[in-house]
Amino acid sequence: MQPATTPNISAELRRRVETARRVLVLTGAGVSAESGVPTFRGGGNSAVWKGLPFDVISSGAMLERNLPAVWEWFDYRRDVLRALAPNAAHEAIASWQERFADLTLVTQNVDGLHQRAGSRNVVELHGNIWRARCTVCRLVHEVPSEGERPEACDECGNELRPDVVLFGEMLPPGAFEFALERAARCEMCFVIGTSGLVYPAASLPEVAQSSGAFVCEINPERTALSSMCDEVVVGKAGEVLPGI
Ligand code: APR
């Protein structure tokens, strides 16, 4: 498919893309925006659910206080997602698996759209909304896209919670360490559709660059990471990526 617009990218970026073997892609909510998934920040609004800012309803503290309310918010988000599909950005990134010898896709998104577009071995820093995990034994359960989500742990019968990293919680063991190791040895790093405000994810482009990688951001707005990037392509991921 031809891109709607030819992105304004430098000869240097084209050369880098042609020769790179080890590539790290870090994505955020903006990569799913053109599928209809609301971003958390930007666009003049910040996400609110029943009067609660998203960083309150999506917090470890709220989970302790009111697990059913947290489930209600995640059930709502899954309902929204059910009708949505991957967009041209997810598809372009999935096609990069064949293009680059060694591609690592690290996402902060929990929507599963990269996998639905065909990306494999996605490093999910913040978990996945289509999984639940036991609050006691941590056994992970799939949440089916149709029908009811499981209520209790199959193994020990205790309560389940979304298998998602909430504000104030630790990242899943191993995921960030793996991403960090890949960032430290990549030649090219793409930062796509993230505001770059949430750490430690936002440190990956800095690690990549300090290890010698060329860092390129794709975002319609400037972000906290724009000034450190070697190249900033201003535009929507679904329009820019197919043309790279
Ligand atoms: N293409 C590319 N980028 C886009 C697009 C688009 N079509 N539309 C919006 N954006 C950009 C916005 O300009 C913004 O910089 O996507 C970014 C979205 O930023 P956030 O909403 O802050 O999302 P993200 O960076 O993924 O947030 C990180 O914060 O709330 C937590 O856990 C949640 O994983 C999330 C984390």
Side-chain angles (χ1 to χ4, degrees):
M1 196 171 73
Q2 289 298 308
T5 51
T6 305
N8 190 13
I9 67 176
S10 71
E12 169 75 354
L13 176 59
R14 285 205 187 280
R15 191 183 65 73
R16 298 264 182 176
V17 168
E18 270 159 30
T19 55
R21 291 174 51 79
R22 294 184 303 279
V23 175
L24 182 110
V25 179
L26 172 67
T27 64
V31 89
S32 295
E34 289 156 84
S35 293
V37 183
T39 58
F40 299 96
R41 307 172 184 84
N45 297 309
S46 69
V48 170
W49 165 250
K50 295 192 173 177
L52 296 170
F54 70 91
D55 52 352
V56 173
I57 185 67
S58 282
S59 67
M62 181 60 84
L63 188 113
E64 296 287 316
R65 254 200 331 272
N66 193 346
L67 178 58
V70 174
W71 266 124
E72 207 187 323
W73 157 238
F74 280 94
D75 289 345
Y76 163 76
R77 288 175 64 189
R78 282 200 325 283
D79 271 346
V80 171
L81 272 173
R82 216 166 263 129
L84 306 181
N87 65 56
H90 298 108
E91 280 158 17
I93 294 168
S95 77
W96 289 0
Q97 289 168 146
E98 269 62 63
R99 177 173 187 175
F100 299 109
D102 184 351
L103 180 83
T104 306
L105 171 57
V106 181
T107 190
Q108 299 166 85
N109 298 346
V110 298
D111 55 28
L113 288 173
H114 280 304
Q115 290 89 336
R116 281 179 57 195
S119 284
R120 300 180 296 272
N121 305 322
V122 182
V123 182
E124 294 175 323
L125 291 180
H126 295 166
N128 191 305
I129 200 165
W130 298 103
R131 292 192 306 257
R133 112 174 157 251
C134 178
T135 49
V136 176
C137 76
R138 301 181 66 88
L139 185 72
V140 172
H141 300 59
E142 296 298 318
V143 177
S145 59
E146 302 296 334
E148 296 297 297
R149 66 170 156 80
E151 286 285 332
C153 179
D154 288 343
E155 194 66 28
C156 67
N158 280 298
E159 278 181 318
L160 299 177
R161 55 160 289 171
D163 190 23
V164 163
V165 179
L166 301 174
F167 281 93
E169 295 188 321
M170 306 285 284
L171 267 51
F176 182 70
E177 292 73 10
F178 179 81
L180 199 57
E181 184 256 314
R182 292 305 175 105
R185 65 184 194 85
C186 71
E187 298 157 278
M188 256 297 344
C189 173
F190 287 97
V191 188
I192 307 170
T194 177
S195 56
L197 290 170
V198 174
Y199 280 78
S203 66
L204 293 171
E206 289 160 4
V207 169
Q209 193 180 52
S210 59
S211 309
F214 187 86
V215 179
C216 173
E217 174 178 72
I218 295 145
N219 199 306
E221 293 173 16
R222 283 190 71 80
T223 74
L225 294 171
S226 301
S227 60
M228 61 77 57
C229 289
D230 297 296
E231 181 145 349
V232 175
V233 183
V234 179
K236 294 182 174 179
E239 292 173 4
V240 171
L241 294 185
I244 286 187

